[in-house]
Amino acid sequence: MTPSSTAPVGKRSVIDILCELLEAEKTDLTQLMLPINRKKAAKQQIPAIIRQAYRRLGELRNDVDQLVEMTSDAESTRDIHTLLTEAQSMLHVDAPFSLEATSIVLESAIRRSNPTTVPNHISAPLAAARALSAALEQNHQVAVESYEAAAQTEGLKQEQQWHYQILKASILEDLGRDFGVNHALDRAAKMLEDETLFLAPKDTRPEAWATTMQKLGNVLGIMGQRQSGTRNLEVSIAKLEASLKVRDRTKAPLLWAETHNSLGTALGILGHRHKDEPMLKRCVASFELALEERTREVSPHDWATTKNNLAAVLQSIGQKNKDTTLLKQAVDAYREVLEEWTRERAPLDWSSAMNNLGTGLRLLGEHRKGPRTLEQSVAAYNSALSERSREQHPVEWAMTQNNLGAALQKLAEKESDAETMQKAIYAYENALKEWTRDRAPMSWSMTTANLGVARRTLAEVTNDYQAAIKAVEELDAVSDAFREASHAQYSELIIDQLAQARKLADSLLDKQRGNHRAGPILTPFFHFTLA
């Protein structure tokens, strides 16, 4: 069951937190939250969706104010003016605010709009206002149709047609990204490639062309993240790089930075899939360029987002190369992010960054002699879990429990501490309460593998034959799962661990029977971490 997004986070509700961040009226955000809850948006997506909706609410109020002024004099627009004045009153911050009622009034105004008497400089913005009200209701289909109507208004200039098509593409992108509707992304990409680029010639309207290429790159990037193939990611990178060659940084510095952030994301995903370190280094460079304009002073939330992205890539390269300098840079970057994403201001982002910090500290702690860094990793994961409850965030809770188990397991090995190893086992078992084999087969396999290895290690320290047998059963089940899923690399690792667990069980059984032969020499611990 998904709880309401108005549920309290600590002592404050999500709405209260966002009201403070956005300097918004509570009545506004409460109304905007209603359709988001009905649409059952993912909990982690809600702050970003609300930010977008609040920006669109401001645009709608401004657009309706302008339409009221434009329709105030002419006889042909008198009826429309009356209706728009009513909508304006409904949208006023002090009035009883109703998205549904506003949309009904705007629909009535559109029906009263006679193409032969109402000029296109009124009819097109009127259709666009209806698109905005539909977007606020999370009625993406009506929003798309309304922007299409605005773009097709007879006599409209090419620049205006392009503008409405970009807005239409944004709605389709939102639907695809926030609610997992992949065909909306397909539709946006096709429209941008086949229609919108035609309206923004590179030689005469370079900034509009660059914006279109950026939008196309973003959409293809989202598609590529969700697909096993790499074609869309490769094309996304090409589109974003083409945009940056034309985009004038001095004219649109934040758009330039946004494009670099998108490029870095696509490069990072593709570089990770290909294990391509030069590509990951290009990713780092792109994020660093984005941060030159996305400063904490100018755009604090976007700065933290890009900084968090940069830290993740530094961590990935550092882990691969066992480079403690890069791992320390990643940890320092996560700590900077947490200065902006505080629990009070951004609880969900805070818990995500805290989980990332835990992983960075664990990887760094593996290379340090003392236990302090690993202890800090455990503390970071526990902090993340204070916000990531199983009831409100089951997937994230399970992920962090798995990662906590990995940190505890490493700490137990460093200190030869059976009690800490038992805590690691408890953490893995917690994760498996949510990640069952039926619901999340790959996550179940990885966590069960971690659990089996931890249990085998504990059995060796405590001479517990029953624990060794249980480890054999867990690793055997995982071996079957990896083999059935054709994960050859993982299968080889598990087969080795399973053989060691069986050898340990045999040795412990011999000890119970009084046959004290030499125990097994176990290979070093390994584990699967989930981001």
Side-chain angles (χ1 to χ4, degrees):
M1 183 174 68
T2 302
S4 167
S5 300
T6 57
V9 177
K11 295 182 179 179
R12 298 201 300 163
S13 72
V14 172
I15 284 182
D16 287 337
I17 292 167
L18 288 170
C19 282
E20 181 179 317
L21 282 174
L22 300 174
E23 299 181 351
E25 295 291 331
K26 189 169 184 177
T27 52
D28 284 354
L29 297 196
T30 300
Q31 287 297 316
L32 295 175
M33 190 74 84
L34 292 174
I36 294 170
N37 282 335
R38 284 196 296 269
K39 196 93 173 186
K40 297 182 179 178
K43 191 88 174 175
Q44 203 75 17
Q45 292 287 91
I46 286 174
I49 296 174
I50 281 288
R51 278 188 175 87
Q52 175 75 290
Y54 186 65
R55 182 184 63 76
R56 284 176 173 154
L57 176 61
E59 290 175 3
L60 178 60
R61 284 173 169 156
N62 183 63
D63 290 353
V64 169
D65 287 347
Q66 290 184 14
L67 282 165
V68 166
E69 185 176 345
M70 287 190 293
T71 57
S72 60
D73 295 331
E75 181 71 25
S76 62
T77 57
R78 180 184 297 172
D79 290 345
I80 297 174
H81 177 76
T82 301
L83 289 166
L84 288 170
T85 302
E86 184 180 350
Q88 183 183 46
S89 177
M90 289 176 176
L91 287 168
H92 193 277
V93 70
D94 297 325
F97 176 37
S98 169
L99 289 173
E100 184 179 359
T102 302
S103 291
I104 290 170
V105 172
L106 289 173
E107 282 283 3
S108 296
I110 288 171
R111 286 197 297 271
R112 299 280 184 91
S113 179
N114 187 335
T116 60
T117 58
V118 176
N120 59 23
H121 74 273
I122 291 175
S123 57
L126 181 57
R130 176 65 185 105
L132 279 171
S133 72
L136 294 176
E137 292 181 286
Q138 302 302 315
N139 189 340
H140 298 84
Q141 183 59 39
V142 171
V144 166
E145 292 170 355
S146 298
Y147 275 132
E148 182 64 25
Q152 292 181 353
T153 301
E154 188 175 350
L156 213 60
K157 292 181 179 178
Q158 186 169 294
E159 292 85 346
Q160 294 168 308
Q161 293 175 30
W162 171 85
H163 175 68
Y164 292 130
Q165 283 209 1
I166 287 290
L167 294 174
K168 175 183 169 183
S170 294
I171 297 294
L172 290 167
E173 182 184 359
D174 291 350
L175 179 59
R177 181 191 58 243
D178 298 336
F179 301 99
V181 183
N182 290 328
H183 68 78
L185 297 172
D186 288 331
R187 185 177 172 188
K190 189 174 189 317
M191 182 193 77
L192 289 164
E193 187 79 69
D194 297 345
E195 302 174 34
T196 315
L197 276 172
F198 173 77
L199 298 171
K202 183 178 178 181
D203 54 345
T204 58
R205 301 186 61 220
E207 287 298 312
W209 183 88
T211 296
T212 309
M213 292 292 277
Q214 177 192 356
K215 179 69 71 176
L216 180 56
N218 289 345
V219 170
L220 290 168
I222 298 168
M223 293 167 67
Q225 289 180 48
R226 296 176 182 175
Q227 296 164 345
S228 57
T230 60
R231 172 63 180 163
N232 277 328
L233 283 171
E234 291 164 357
V235 177
S236 170
I237 290 167
K239 300 294 184 187
L240 293 166
E241 288 178 332
S243 174
L244 285 165
K245 287 178 180 177
V246 173
R247 173 79 72 195
D248 188 334
R249 178 178 179 177
T250 60
K251 289 182 179 178
L254 291 181
L255 277 176
W256 179 87
E258 181 185 315
T259 310
H260 265 295
N261 184 72
S262 298
L263 176 59
T265 301
L267 285 167
I269 294 167
L270 190 58
H272 181 73
R273 287 188 188 177
H274 286 331
K275 296 181 173 56
D276 185 335
E277 188 171 331
M279 185 172 287
L280 290 175
K281 289 180 177 177
R282 286 169 58 200
C283 165
V284 168
S286 202
F287 285 140
E288 287 176 338
L289 285 169
L291 287 168
E292 290 179 9
E293 296 294 347
R294 275 187 166 184
T295 63
R296 187 176 179 187
E297 295 72 25
V298 171
S299 185
H301 182 78
D302 291 338
W303 169 84
T305 299
T306 303
K307 194 80 170 179
N308 187 63
N309 292 344
L310 173 61
V313 185
L314 291 171
Q315 178 181 294
S316 179
I317 300 171
Q319 180 182 11
K320 179 177 180 253
N321 295 333
K322 298 181 181 179
D323 185 332
T324 56
T325 300
L326 287 180
L327 290 173
K328 180 65 166 57
Q329 287 176 11
V331 166
D332 290 344
Y334 286 135
R335 284 179 168 146
E336 286 185 69
V337 169
L338 285 163
E339 292 175 10
E340 181 60 37
W341 283 349
T342 64
R343 187 175 187 182
E344 294 72 26
R345 286 201 301 259
L348 299 183
D349 291 329
W350 173 84
S351 65
S352 177
M354 193 63 77
N355 176 76
N356 294 344
L357 175 62
T359 301
L361 286 165
R362 179 183 58 73
L363 294 171
L364 185 60
E366 290 175 5
H367 298 282
R368 290 182 168 175
K369 290 182 179 180
R372 188 167 183 271
T373 305
L374 287 170
E375 289 169 349
Q376 291 174 340
S377 171
V378 169
Y381 286 134
N382 280 321
S383 292
L385 287 168
S386 70
E387 192 62 55
R388 289 181 162 185
S389 68
R390 183 182 179 187
E391 294 73 25
Q392 292 195 26
H393 309 283
V395 174
E396 291 80 8
W397 175 82
M399 178 193 303
T400 306
Q401 288 284 357
N402 174 78
N403 295 345
L404 172 62
L408 287 165
Q409 189 168 359
K410 256 320 206 184
L411 183 60
E413 285 205 334
K414 193 174 284 286
E415 298 190 311
S416 301
D417 186 345
E419 184 179 349
T420 301
M421 189 65 76
Q422 185 61 61
K423 289 179 182 178
I425 289 171
Y426 288 151
Y428 290 138
E429 289 175 336
N430 274 338
L432 291 170
K433 291 175 184 177
E434 202 58 48
W435 279 341
T436 65
R437 188 168 187 173
D438 290 337
R439 274 199 307 235
M442 194 60 186
S443 297
W444 171 87
S445 297
M446 291 185 169
T447 302
T448 303
N450 292 341
L451 174 60
V453 173
R455 204 185 299 278
R456 185 212 70 193
T457 306
L458 183 63
E460 183 191 11
V461 172
T462 59
N463 292 320
D464 187 336
Y465 171 70
Q466 292 302 323
I469 288 298
K470 194 165 185 181
V472 168
E473 292 171 352
E474 288 161 346
L475 292 168
D476 195 26
V478 173
S479 178
D480 289 342
F482 281 147
R483 186 171 56 252
E484 290 167 6
S486 299
H487 289 295
Q489 180 184 0
Y490 294 156
S491 293
E492 290 174 9
L493 288 169
I494 294 300
I495 288 168
D496 177 61
Q497 297 295 325
L498 178 57
Q500 293 184 59
R502 283 175 172 154
K503 191 173 182 180
L504 174 63
D506 289 344
S507 174
L508 293 175
L509 182 59
D510 284 344
K511 281 185 180 182
Q512 285 186 1
R513 291 171 175 171
N515 179 14
H516 296 287
R517 68 181 182 183
I521 299 174
L522 303 181
T523 58
F525 154 77
F526 81 102
H527 68 267
F528 296 106
T529 303
L530 295 151

